[in-house]
Amino acid sequence: MSETRERAAAGPPVRPRGRARRHRALLIAVVVLLVAAALTAVRPWESCGAGLHAVDADKDSVGSSYVCVGLNLDSGPVRDDDPLAPMEELVKSRNEKVGENFKTVVVLENLAPDPKVDSQPFSFVRREVQGAIAAAWPKSGRPGIKLLLANYGSNADHWRVAADEIIAAAAAQRIVAVTAVGNSSENSRALVAELSQHGIATIGASPTADNMNTDPKGSRIDNFFRVGPTNTDEARVAAGYIATHGFQRVMMIQGVSKEDTYATTLAEAFRNSSKVPVLFTKTYEVKPLADTSREAYLRGLFSSWHNDICGAKPDLIYFAGRGLDLGALVAALAGDGACEGLDSVTVMTGDDASTLAGNSLELDKDISVRLRYTALAFPDQWDMFTADPAYPTYKKNHDNFIAEFTGTHGFPKGELWDGAAMIEHDAVAAAVEAAARNVSADPVSVANMVRSIDCNSAVPGATGFVAFDQDTGNQLDKALPILSIDRDGSVHPVDLVWSRGRPLNTAPDCGH
């Protein structure tokens, strides 16, 4: 037999197995792992905990490709590199100690603000959570209170998801109330109305728009309350300040976005309250822009108004708009050239200016700008109230809050300057008091207990006694500090004014 036939008869030669074939199983395993990793990268919802749902986010703005919206049942992160993580971890550790006989207070906010869209900075949200913690877990407080954070996303666009998750969890989590509520907007109004339809009480901290207690159809939201002032309160206080300080030429700049009810109702309230005629009004509207920031856009817009303002020669401009927008206005006023006959101007606005404080401002250039605003609260605000017989009581309540905030929980007193922690503390304190008065754990039973917090049984708080008007749900006789902001961003007290002209404990009536 020839060599060729011998090879043929013996069959094909046996070749050594290649490396790929020897490690085929290993390669398959590696591929599977890589595919799984890729899927995880494009499935951010797997990073969101119970009660949360992932939505797309602008990574350049918030540092994450996704944000988790809904009710944070696990107190976990709501985005990659979540700056709120230390607060969430603290909340989780405290919740784990409350035991089985608990009741829950929800803090509802935009937990991952997008600076391209949202006017409220993250630092304000962090301080709100700090205030909630101080109220929920004081050193000698009532046991069995849980806190849960809820996120309705940028501009409250995902309010429906947050509302649905809160409603779904209300019975199991024994939710007492939803607090904070974020900015005044059409979306936040819709959310509050939806919760009320399901019997869940909300206690707003910072929403001041007068129509926040009515649904989008104009009907009263029965289960909405607030510890902060209304825009009418703020406008009335501003109008009094303007009249007593001799201003005569008042101009108004007004945001007119239908979604932003804070700006629109503040403008209306000031127009109705001002004792000095508003001689001239300019309006603006802002929508999300793909190629520039909100602040940069408005800086250009307000610069284009330079001739109008120079011609009007106002001695005071009332600004009915967001604090972020105010920064652009101040920069345009001070830095766009001198005006003949207009060397200086006072700009006065509402509480959202607190988001501008802490930032350097060019207030003394071509035109000198003096900045004033009505605030939700201010640390040591009662030092402007020392002559009143009620001072010792209000001061004592405030000092008790400081002891809890800085002592029990170790938060810096410097975090109190914008009032966020103080006003949210009082919202949660009211919710905790309602829970204590209630023999039922059913969430629908709580609104009546909140409603019973009137001037005969007010709750002591950091910003004063908390009591609710029986007809509107608004707070009675809120104390409003008037503050100034200097070039270095520092905030200073100017005055302390009561929304109804008197402290709560001297009010002649209770419900109205």
Side-chain angles (χ1 to χ4, degrees), residues 234-484:
E234 295 197 37
R236 187 184 300 122
V237 166
Y241 176 88
I242 290 167
T244 57
H245 285 77
F247 294 100
Q248 296 179 343
R249 295 188 61 81
V250 176
M251 172 183 177
M252 182 160 66
I253 294 177
Q254 172 190 352
V256 293
S257 170
K258 293 181 181 179
E259 168 60 25
D260 188 1
T261 55
Y262 167 81
T264 54
T265 63
L266 184 62
E268 181 181 4
F270 180 74
R271 195 176 288 108
N272 293 336
S273 301
S274 181
K275 302 172 184 179
V276 180
V278 177
L279 301 177
F280 189 44
T281 299
K282 295 286 285 186
T283 63
Y284 73 95
E285 183 176 5
V286 182
K287 296 180 179 179
L289 302 172
D291 59 347
T292 189
S293 69
R294 174 181 180 132
E295 185 174 12
Y297 169 74
L298 286 177
R299 176 66 172 85
L301 176 66
F302 294 149
S303 291
S304 72
W305 295 356
H306 184 72
N307 290 339
D308 292 321
I309 295 172
C310 288
K313 292 183 175 57
D315 53 9
L316 183 136
I317 297 174
Y318 190 78
F319 185 75
R322 292 291 175 183
L324 180 67
D325 306 345
L326 176 62
L329 173 66
V330 168
L333 283 173
D336 283 347
C339 290
E340 184 178 353
L342 185 62
D343 298 326
S344 64
V345 64
T346 296
V347 177
M348 192 160 194
T349 188
D351 65 276
D352 205 63
S354 65
T355 61
L356 185 64
N359 300 310
S360 296
L361 301 170
E362 294 182 343
L363 299 179
D364 193 15
K365 294 179 68 179
D366 301 319
I367 297 175
S368 178
V369 180
R370 294 179 298 272
L371 197 51
R372 305 283 187 269
Y373 71 99
T374 47
L376 298 175
F378 186 70
D380 301 323
Q381 65 185 41
W382 304 113
D383 291 344
M384 296 182 282
F385 187 55
T386 55
D388 194 281
Y391 165 75
T393 302
Y394 285 89
K395 176 67 171 173
K396 178 183 177 182
N397 293 339
H398 180 75
D399 288 346
N400 289 341
F401 161 74
I402 295 293
E404 296 293 350
F405 190 83
T406 63
T408 302
H409 296 286
F411 299 135
K413 188 175 180 181
E415 293 279 67
L416 298 175
W417 62 267
D418 64 356
M422 295 170 63
I423 201 75
E424 175 59 15
H425 168 275
D426 288 3
V428 174
V432 171
E433 177 63 26
R437 296 181 185 183
N438 194 7
V439 297
S440 172
D442 192 323
V444 301
S445 68
V446 180
N448 277 333
M449 296 300 166
V450 181
R451 197 170 288 109
S452 71
I453 299 174
D454 58 20
C455 63
N456 291 319
S457 56
V459 175
T463 67
F465 282 97
V466 176
F468 300 111
D469 185 291
Q470 300 300 289
D471 294 331
T472 65
N474 297 330
Q475 183 172 185
L476 292 167
D477 304 305
K478 178 75 176 68
L480 286 168
I482 299 176
L483 307 178
S484 67

Side-chain angles (χ1 to χ4, degrees), residues 17-374:
R17 298 175 65 186
R19 185 170 182 177
R21 296 183 64 183
R22 290 198 307 268
H23 300 288
R24 179 178 297 171
L26 178 59
L27 285 173
I28 292 173
V30 170
V31 169
V32 169
L33 289 174
L34 289 174
V35 171
L39 287 175
T40 301
V42 298
R43 291 183 178 179
W45 58 86
E46 295 180 352
S47 299
C48 296
L52 295 173
H53 306 264
V55 295
D56 291 336
D58 185 340
K59 189 170 185 178
D60 293 336
S61 296
V62 301
S64 177
S65 61
Y66 70 95
V67 170
C68 302
V69 297
L71 180 62
N72 197 350
L73 294 169
D74 296 334
S75 298
V78 298
R79 46 170 274 199
D80 283 340
D81 300 322
D82 188 352
L84 199 60
M87 292 292 100
E88 290 156 346
E89 291 170 2
L90 179 57
V91 166
K92 183 176 182 178
S93 67
R94 296 298 177 89
N95 284 342
E96 290 173 346
K97 299 176 183 178
V98 300
E100 296 182 358
N101 187 24
F102 65 87
K103 294 180 181 179
T104 298
V105 176
V106 176
V107 179
L108 172 67
E109 257 294 358
N110 174 12
L111 301 180
D114 180 349
K116 288 185 177 179
V117 178
D118 303 308
S119 61
Q120 188 164 280
F122 166 76
S123 57
F124 188 93
V125 177
R126 183 187 69 245
R127 289 189 277 268
E128 281 188 306
V129 176
Q130 290 172 340
I133 289 171
W137 299 306
K139 186 175 182 179
S140 57
R142 300 181 177 96
I145 295 295
K146 284 180 63 175
L147 277 182
L148 290 176
L149 307 184
N151 184 25
Y152 58 24
S154 181
N155 200 37
D157 284 341
H158 303 285
W159 69 266
R160 174 68 69 180
V161 178
D164 288 348
E165 289 294 344
I166 292 169
I167 292 165
Q173 294 295 326
R174 302 169 201 161
I175 291 176
V176 175
V178 176
T179 66
V181 186
N183 285 335
S184 303
S185 69
E186 289 300 313
N187 285 342
S188 56
R189 284 176 72 201
L191 186 150
V192 167
E194 182 69 15
L195 294 179
S196 181
Q197 287 286 331
H198 290 81
I200 299 174
T202 55
I203 305 177
S206 58
T208 58
D210 287 82
N211 61 2
M212 273 297 298
N213 61 354
T214 60
D215 65 22
K217 295 181 180 180
S219 299
R220 166 81 168 95
I221 301 174
D222 293 330
N223 299 325
F224 175 76
F225 308 87
R226 67 175 122 199
V227 298
T230 64
N231 279 345
T232 291
D233 293 334
E234 295 197 37
R236 187 184 300 122
V237 166
Y241 176 88
I242 290 167
T244 57
H245 285 77
F247 294 100
Q248 296 179 343
R249 295 188 61 81
V250 176
M251 172 183 177
M252 182 160 66
I253 294 177
Q254 172 190 352
V256 293
S257 170
K258 293 181 181 179
E259 168 60 25
D260 188 1
T261 55
Y262 167 81
T264 54
T265 63
L266 184 62
E268 181 181 4
F270 180 74
R271 195 176 288 108
N272 293 336
S273 301
S274 181
K275 302 172 184 179
V276 180
V278 177
L279 301 177
F280 189 44
T281 299
K282 295 286 285 186
T283 63
Y284 73 95
E285 183 176 5
V286 182
K287 296 180 179 179
L289 302 172
D291 59 347
T292 189
S293 69
R294 174 181 180 132
E295 185 174 12
Y297 169 74
L298 286 177
R299 176 66 172 85
L301 176 66
F302 294 149
S303 291
S304 72
W305 295 356
H306 184 72
N307 290 339
D308 292 321
I309 295 172
C310 288
K313 292 183 175 57
D315 53 9
L316 183 136
I317 297 174
Y318 190 78
F319 185 75
R322 292 291 175 183
L324 180 67
D325 306 345
L326 176 62
L329 173 66
V330 168
L333 283 173
D336 283 347
C339 290
E340 184 178 353
L342 185 62
D343 298 326
S344 64
V345 64
T346 296
V347 177
M348 192 160 194
T349 188
D351 65 276
D352 205 63
S354 65
T355 61
L356 185 64
N359 300 310
S360 296
L361 301 170
E362 294 182 343
L363 299 179
D364 193 15
K365 294 179 68 179
D366 301 319
I367 297 175
S368 178
V369 180
R370 294 179 298 272
L371 197 51
R372 305 283 187 269
Y373 71 99
T374 47

